[in-house]
């Protein structure tokens, strides 16, 4: 059904303009009953989308600023791969103080999702020390030496606290206002070591120097694996130090 599924949200729904949504989704601003919202069409399974929709509802109910799913007329949170969500105002973080607010928002996310179940089909970084596949990750496609470096980086985080991680807290996915910090684009969220979210500009999360290096290596390894094999992923893999 694709975008024709918009009719399930009612008669007063229309696409407005395409937004940047990465390679996995087709993302548009939409109007529903005259109100601005965001529509995302992709190929994720119902189990995957159900996990994300349930997470966003939980976070919204607990006061975290996130795009909340808008149900269809018959109460579904998504249909045929299409999800409509509330539009989130704001701009990207610009100052060190902004990034410290981002760090606290991410830590709130982590506190709210301790013990959360894993997203359908995903593997945490620690599991990929043995496993080779997990949703967007296929370690068999990477050079064996690069896989060994990534696994060594992830192994250094074994035993650290886990929770839902946003997975991609870059400026494009953060909306800051004077009142709050919002996180958007939860397409890469899953359960993993919380520290992976906290490698931020200005070391805004206040990690000590030695541990910041460990977390930064693991984060670079994750981004290399999840994006392989575009130019960005190759640059990130180059940042993961060789084994000694």
């Amino acid at each position: 059904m694709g975008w024709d599924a918009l009719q399930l949200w009612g008669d007063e729904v229309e696409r407005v303009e395409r937004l940047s949504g990465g390679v996995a989704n087709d993302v548009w601003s939409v109007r529903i009953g005259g109100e601005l919202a965001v529509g995302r069409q992709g190929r994720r399974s119902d189990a995957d989308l159900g996990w994300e929709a349930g997470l966003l509802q939980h976070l919204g109910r607990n006061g975290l600023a996130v795009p909340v799913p808008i149900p269809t007329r018959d109460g579904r949170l998504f249909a045929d791969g299409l999800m409509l969500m509330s539009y989130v105002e704001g701009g990207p973080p610009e100052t060190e103080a902004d990034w410290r607010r981002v760090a606290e928002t991410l830590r709130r996310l982590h506190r709210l999702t301790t013990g959360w179940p894993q997203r359908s089909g995903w593997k945490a970084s620690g599991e990929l020390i043995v496993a080779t596949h997990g949703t967007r990750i296929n370690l068999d496609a990477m050079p064996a030496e690069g896989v060994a470096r990534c696994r060594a980086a992830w192994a250094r985080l074994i035993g650290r606290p886990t929770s839902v991680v946003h997975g991609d807290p870059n400026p494009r996915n953060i909306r800051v206002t004077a009142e709050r910090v919002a996180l958007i684009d939860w397409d890469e969220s899953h359960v993993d070591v919380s520290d992976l979210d906290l490698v931020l500009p200005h070391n805004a999360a206040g990690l000590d120097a030695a541990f910041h290096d460990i977390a930064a290596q693991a984060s670079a390894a994750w981004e290399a694996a999840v994006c392989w094999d575009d130019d960005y992923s190759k640059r990130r893999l180059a940042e993961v130090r060789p084994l000694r």
Side-chain angles (χ1 to χ4, degrees):
M1 185 179 287
W3 284 101
D4 289 341
L6 275 177
Q7 64 188 318
L8 299 173
W9 277 263
D11 297 328
E12 298 183 11
V13 185
E14 60 176 348
R15 282 192 286 176
V16 179
E17 62 178 346
R18 177 174 274 119
L19 306 174
S20 59
V23 298
N25 299 294
D26 189 22
V27 183
W28 286 68
S29 60
V30 301
R31 290 198 180 277
I32 177 167
E35 298 291 328
L36 193 61
V38 173
R40 190 190 69 195
Q41 173 71 46
R43 297 183 295 276
R44 292 286 176 85
S45 69
D46 284 357
D48 184 293
L49 292 173
W51 183 94
E52 182 182 356
L55 171 68
L56 293 174
Q57 286 187 316
H58 169 72
L59 297 176
R61 285 194 299 264
N62 283 279
L64 208 68
V66 297
V68 177
I70 300 169
T72 64
R73 286 182 294 183
D74 61 3
R76 285 178 285 171
L77 298 179
F78 54 88
D80 196 41
L82 177 64
M83 186 184 296
L84 299 193
M85 295 165 280
S86 56
Y87 183 81
V88 179
E89 299 280 357
E94 297 178 344
T95 66
E96 185 173 347
D98 286 343
W99 280 106
R100 286 197 298 269
R101 294 173 64 203
V102 172
E104 177 52 35
T105 299
L106 288 164
R107 285 191 162 116
R108 284 186 61 205
L109 159 67
H110 302 156
R111 290 193 296 269
L112 286 169
T113 56
T114 300
W116 202 261
Q118 182 60 281
R119 192 170 192 159
S120 176
W122 283 74
K123 293 283 193 299
S125 56
E127 295 175 281
L128 290 166
I129 295 171
V130 176
T132 58
H133 294 77
T135 303
R136 290 177 57 187
I137 289 179
N138 176 11
L139 296 183
D140 289 338
M142 297 179 68
E145 186 272 341
V147 172
R149 280 191 278 145
C150 289
R151 285 173 162 165
W154 297 328
R156 298 185 189 105
L157 292 180
I158 289 175
R160 295 288 297 176
T162 63
S163 65
V164 171
V165 294
H166 177 275
D168 192 16
N170 73 73
R172 296 185 304 277
N173 293 335
I174 301 167
R175 297 287 183 268
V176 176
T177 69
E179 293 77 27
R180 54 97 183 115
V181 172
L183 301 170
I184 66 171
D185 191 355
W186 292 79
D187 201 44
E188 294 185 20
S189 58
H190 63 286
V191 172
D192 214 318
V193 175
S194 307
D195 302 310
L196 289 170
D197 266 346
L198 300 178
V199 182
L200 302 172
H202 312 288
N203 189 18
L207 305 180
D208 70 60
F211 187 72
H212 183 276
D213 180 68
I214 291 171
Q217 288 283 290
S219 177
W222 179 266
E223 292 190 357
V226 81
C227 299
W228 193 262
D229 63 339
D230 62 15
D231 290 341
Y232 176 76
S233 68
K234 293 173 182 177
R235 290 196 302 271
R236 291 298 271 160
L237 182 59
E239 296 172 23
V240 182
R241 286 190 293 273
L243 299 172
R244 296 175 181 173

